[in-house]
Structure formats: structure tokens, C-alpha cells
Amino acid sequence: MLMNAVEKAMMNNPVRAALQRRFEMPLLMEMGGRMQGGRALEVGCGRGVGTELILEMSGAGRVDAFDLDPDMVARASQRLRGHGERVRLSVGDVERIEAEDGAYDAVFDFGIVHHVPDWRSALREINRVLKPGGRFYVEEVLAKFILDPLWRRVLVHPLHDRFDHDGFRDGLKQTGFQVVASRQMWGQFAWFVADKTSRRDTPEPIDVTATGAVS
Ligand SMILES: C[S@@+](CC[C@H](N)C(=O)[O-])C[C@H]1O[C@@H](n2cnc3c(N)ncnc32)[C@H](O)[C@@H]1O
């Protein structure tokens, strides 16, 4: 589901970019570690700030990125034009990723899976394109935020079957991931690192933290 004008304004501004650069990407790297080269995919790349951070901070050698919204892909192309062969952008749908099975060493999701009505199908598709043992880095928006009466008035999201932290963790397990770390803040936002596993029902996360500012 595409963003409305209000959400576009909330995403396409320097504050959002600073938050991604100074807080979210460092947190995901702290939780899941850096890649040792290899190919990364960003789903729902928006205007490409996350893609830029993956190129700069994750250790990935190459990054493919796509978004459902051609306007956002155009913005990302503009932002990333200096990165040459290391980045490839396209218009695409996370429920039908144009890549072969096991194509990627890592997949990054900066707040897009909550835009998908059947969000588990997005997780299954992400799992499909990861190599066995490949790593999924996630920042997500939880039901408490999406269903808040104020935000419901100004933003447009699917409202049925939204997930909280534990619901998303369970969704990861059901779609073939093993959660290795998670964080949540205010019950509204969550971060996960999860690895593709051959099993569909995996052990409890080894690091679920609920302390301090990130709780
Ligand atoms: C909240 S924005 C996040 C954008 C960017 N990742 C960021 O953090 O700034 C959600 C993005 O997901 C995209 N999107 C929504 N549904 C999608 C889908 N099915 N496949 C790919 N992208 C999708 C939207 O167009 C939008 O750019």
C-alpha cells in the first residue's frame, strides 16, 4: 500500500534521515553485526536513505533496492547516482520479489512490511530470496502506532491483522526465520535481526531486550 501525502512528508525529510543514520542503522549493526561483503537487498527503499546507509555501513559489496512507488524510486535514483555499479534500483513489490531463490546474503526492511496487508506473505518472499543462513535486518512499526486514533486520521495503512512485537516475532518463526535479537520502543516500534533457517518453528530469541530508552 502506497504512502499518502502526510506520510511522504514524514519520510522525506532530514529528521527521518538523521534518525536512520544516527539511531536505526547503528542499532541494527549492533544487534546483528556487519556483513562480510556479499549482496544485500533493501525492500521498500523509499528515497534511498537506507540504501545509502547499507552501502556505507553494512559491509555489503552490492545493494539492490526497490519500492512499489515509482516516485520514490526516482528520488532514490537521484540520491544514489554517485554509487555506480554497487547499487541497482527498480520498481517492485515485496510480495513478488524479482530475484531467484537464495540470491541475497542479507535483506533490510526499514519500515515497509506494515504497509503490506498480507504481511506474512512478504516475510515468506524475503525468506525465499535469502541464502540459507542469510540475515534479515528489520525496523518495523507496530499495531499500537498504526491503530492509534490520531495516526489513523492522518496516515493510510492496512488496519486488519496488524502485529505487535511478539506477533512479528512469531510471524518470523512461522515463515522460516530464527530471531537472534530484538528491541522495541514504546510498544510502537521494533527492531529485529533474524536468520533464515531450514526449520519453520525455531527456539526463543536469545536476546530480547527491554531496557532504557529503547524498551
Ligand atoms: C514508511 S515508508 C519507508 C520508506 C523507507 N524505507 C524509509 O525508511 O524511509 C514505506 C515504503 O514502502 C513502500 N511500499 C509499500 N508497499 C510496498 C510493497 N508491497 N512493496 C514494496 N514497497 C512497498 C512505500 O512506497 C514506501 O516507500
Side-chain angles (χ1 to χ4, degrees):
M1 181 180 282
L2 297 180
M3 297 187 287
N4 68 1
V6 175
E7 192 172 11
K8 273 198 176 180
M10 287 170 67
M11 290 295 111
N12 298 336
N13 70 76
V15 176
R16 167 70 185 152
L19 200 66
Q20 270 185 290
R21 175 172 291 278
R22 295 180 190 281
F23 176 66
E24 293 186 341
M25 189 65 181
L27 177 64
L28 289 175
M29 292 296 98
E30 179 192 315
M31 289 166 62
R34 278 165 52 86
M35 301 170 63
Q36 306 297 316
R39 287 181 77 190
L41 173 70
E42 186 188 4
V43 296
C45 61
R47 66 175 179 144
V49 174
T51 316
E52 193 168 60
L53 297 176
I54 296 164
L55 286 162
E56 288 177 16
M57 297 169 67
S58 75
R62 286 191 45 190
V63 183
D64 294 345
F66 66 81
D67 198 283
L68 194 60
D69 185 343
D71 169 50
M72 298 304 278
V73 176
R75 292 174 194 243
S77 300
Q78 188 71 10
R79 169 178 290 279
L80 297 162
R81 63 188 181 282
H83 289 276
E85 297 284 295
R86 286 189 70 207
V87 63
R88 193 176 63 179
L89 296 167
S90 60
V91 175
D93 184 345
V94 70
E95 291 186 276
R96 283 172 290 277
I97 300 173
E98 291 187 17
E100 67 272 25
D101 296 0
Y104 293 103
D105 300 282
V107 175
F108 288 80
D109 154 26
F110 287 103
I112 90 120
V113 167
H114 69 280
H115 271 266
V116 181
D118 182 1
W119 55 273
R120 291 178 192 81
S121 82
L123 297 187
R124 276 192 292 275
E125 188 63 350
I126 289 166
N127 187 277
R128 180 185 71 74
V129 300
L130 273 169
K131 291 179 180 166
R135 189 150 274 192
F136 185 27
Y137 298 85
V138 180
E139 174 247 324
E140 266 308 329
V141 180
L142 305 178
K144 187 175 176 188
F145 179 90
I146 291 167
L147 302 178
D148 178 272
L150 170 67
W151 292 118
R152 277 181 70 161
R153 286 173 76 104
V154 294
L155 303 177
V156 179
H157 289 116
L159 299 176
H160 174 68
D161 186 30
R162 295 304 86 190
F163 46 79
D164 60 10
H165 169 278
D166 291 358
F168 195 80
R169 180 199 60 197
D170 293 345
L172 286 167
K173 289 184 186 178
Q174 289 157 8
T175 52
F177 290 97
Q178 177 166 8
V179 178
V180 295
S182 74
R183 304 282 191 276
Q184 60 175 313
M185 187 164 70
W186 308 327
Q188 297 186 331
F189 308 99
W191 295 264
F192 290 86
V193 173
D195 288 344
K196 175 171 175 167
T197 171
S198 50
R199 294 166 57 195
R200 292 269 153 162
D201 192 15
T202 55
E204 288 300 303
I206 59 170
D207 174 17
V208 177
T209 305
T211 54
V214 178
S215 63

